[in-house]
Amino acid sequence: MLSETGTPRFGANYVPSSGWFYSWLDYDGAAVRRDFADLAGLGLDHVRVFPVWPWIQPNRAIIRERAIEDLLDLIDAAAEHGLGVAVDLIQGHLSSFDFLPSWVLTWHRSSLFESDTVRAGLTAYVETVARAVASRPNVFAITLGNEVNNLWPDSSTTPESSTSWARELLVAVKKAAPGVLALHSVFDDAWYKPDHPFRPVDVVDLGELSTVHSWVFNGVSRVDGPLGPATLTHADYLVELAAATSLDPARPVWLQEIGVPGPDIPVDLQAEFTRRTVELVVHNPALWGVTWWSSHDIDRRLLDFPDREYDLGLFTVDHQRKPAAQALADVIAEVRSAGVSPPQATTLTSPVNLRTEPQRRAEIAPGSEFHLSWVAARAEGPVRIALP
């Protein structure tokens, strides 16, 4: 599942340069192709794309063919630029906004994770879109949704409901798209928050590889600053946690999101953060690939986003390559030229069995005694994590 050269894959989470994800409402294939030309020029090999659920299924009985046709054209545009595509289905949550269809809101208000009616509608949606996108040979993965655990607590759930919800929908994906990777995606509260109803085992047992999202605004940047060792190695730490928690020692880990959020990473340090973070994680033997968040900035004429969301792109809205983009392109070229060679590693045993003791997750969170011990050891070289 690595690239043809045996090195990790590199891609970007696609945020359209014109109109953000609202552009799905007035799809412009030419604009998409211009964006993908930007990304191909960096040496990227894939994009992760985000159709918006309520705009495809505005009523439980309606799945809009026009919306699916637009998604297929976007996938074809990626192929024209040599890019593979991973499709996320349940959006769900994007850049601090939640998008839910009216048939789960107002007097219909239901939990996405616990309502049988919503599950039935979601299953129909998942099967239809998965079957359609699997018709394109450059589609290699389908993820249930972008950080679906952000939809809790507004949608109530329990650990048991969360797991069964994801498992059932993954079965639907695999039935509709048997040749495509079926994946589950959550943000890192699943790793660090003791009472969170999505658990580490959801990441490493569900789907065909593990996905992690490394965001340093979760507290790690406060440990030692934008270029401190805890901040620079957070992505590697999450990859290690996922690798250690899986029962399958060969299960790959996809660093599905990582970026340079301000003010945690100041603009003048973003290129160095990008280069050093990727260099520190890229030789990890568990790593499947790195997918940057995001491809393009958000136009500041669009209102009400958290300030950090506007400038996360590798490119500006007018297609100017930013310093972080150049740093990423340079690292990609170096990795593809020299290859990866996992060096000898030491091992540190976690105080917590994340499979059986999720209520103790805070003991391995950023700034915890174990995390700081791992960071100190990581300064001397790679450090594997073992569960007790």
Side-chain angles (χ1 to χ4, degrees):
M1 286 186 290
L2 296 176
S3 68
E4 292 180 0
T5 62
T7 56
R9 299 186 65 169
F10 293 95
N13 292 278
Y14 178 48
V15 173
S17 64
S18 178
W20 190 65
F21 296 107
Y22 305 123
S23 59
W24 284 116
L25 296 170
D26 189 19
Y27 178 75
D28 183 345
V32 168
R33 285 163 172 82
R34 174 69 187 273
D35 290 345
F36 287 168
D38 291 341
L39 301 179
L42 295 179
L44 303 182
D45 59 57
H46 70 273
V47 289
R48 178 173 168 234
V49 304
F50 305 90
V52 178
W53 171 33
W55 300 338
I56 297 178
Q57 192 183 29
N59 181 278
R60 192 160 62 92
I62 297 173
I63 297 178
R64 296 178 54 245
E65 288 297 326
R66 173 61 184 272
I68 293 177
E69 289 170 6
D70 290 343
L71 174 58
L72 293 177
D73 183 76
L74 179 144
I75 293 168
D76 292 342
E80 292 165 16
H81 291 86
L83 298 169
V85 175
V87 180
D88 273 40
L89 295 177
I90 302 166
Q91 276 67 250
H93 181 84
L94 290 167
S95 302
S96 85
F97 287 101
D98 291 345
F99 292 86
L100 301 175
S102 58
W103 52 271
V104 304
L105 299 173
T106 60
W107 67 274
H108 302 275
R109 182 168 294 278
S110 304
S111 168
L112 271 65
F113 308 112
E114 296 184 314
S115 165
D116 290 339
T117 299
V118 176
R119 283 203 196 191
L122 272 175
T123 299
Y125 166 77
V126 163
E127 288 178 344
T128 302
V129 179
R131 186 177 299 110
V133 302
S135 68
R136 297 315 199 248
N138 60 320
V139 172
F140 65 86
I142 297 171
T143 303
L144 292 184
N146 179 51
E147 298 187 342
V148 293
N149 54 332
N150 264 307
L151 301 174
W152 175 83
D154 286 347
S155 274
S156 61
T157 192
T158 65
E160 294 73 24
S161 294
S162 301
T163 300
S164 66
W165 176 89
R167 183 179 291 118
E168 289 174 13
L169 290 178
L170 287 166
V171 169
V173 170
K174 207 61 188 173
K175 178 181 177 183
V180 176
L181 293 171
L183 309 176
H184 183 37
S185 167
V186 295
F187 76 100
D188 63 18
D189 274 3
W191 289 102
Y192 299 146
K193 299 293 185 182
D195 61 348
H196 198 74
F198 292 75
R199 300 167 297 183
V201 290
D202 294 330
V203 177
V204 301
D205 289 356
L206 301 177
E208 295 174 89
L209 54 77
S210 303
T211 68
V212 294
H213 294 186
S214 176
W215 288 107
V216 298
F217 55 67
N218 65 3
V220 71
S221 67
R222 293 194 293 273
V223 173
D224 56 14
L227 297 180
T231 304
L232 292 174
T233 61
H234 184 248
D236 194 48
Y237 183 64
L238 274 172
V239 171
E240 284 298 332
L241 287 175
T245 307
S246 175
L247 295 174
D248 178 3
R251 181 177 169 96
V253 183
W254 179 4
L255 181 55
Q256 197 180 45
E257 289 186 20
I258 184 171
V260 284
D264 302 75
I265 312 298
V267 171
D268 61 335
L269 300 180
Q270 289 178 357
E272 185 175 0
F273 171 87
T274 300
R275 177 181 59 80
R276 293 174 64 183
T277 294
V278 175
E279 288 176 345
L280 283 164
V281 74
V282 76
H283 297 282
N284 192 309
L287 184 70
W288 177 90
V290 178
T291 308
W292 205 258
W293 190 286
S294 59
S295 65
H296 293 80
D297 286 346
I298 299 172
D299 193 326
R300 285 188 174 268
R301 289 177 295 180
L302 297 175
L303 303 178
D304 302 324
F305 290 83
D307 192 67
R308 66 162 61 98
E309 297 284 352
Y310 285 99
D311 301 316
L312 289 170
L314 294 167
F315 290 85
T316 64
V317 294
D318 58 352
H319 305 279
Q320 298 302 305
R321 183 182 294 195
K322 295 165 70 176
Q326 187 58 55
L328 182 61
D330 292 344
V331 173
I332 292 170
E334 291 166 9
V335 168
R336 289 180 179 157
S337 174
V340 293
S341 52
Q344 193 70 28
T346 59
T347 300
L348 199 61
T349 300
S350 166
V352 178
N353 186 328
L354 291 168
R355 297 192 63 85
T356 60
E357 302 174 294
Q359 73 278 7
R360 296 178 60 192
R361 281 174 275 190
E363 295 177 45
I364 56 89
S368 65
E369 181 179 352
F370 174 75
H371 172 245
L372 296 179
S373 296
W374 184 90
V375 170
R378 184 66 180 84
E380 304 301 321
V383 184
R384 306 282 89 90
I385 294 175
L387 299 190

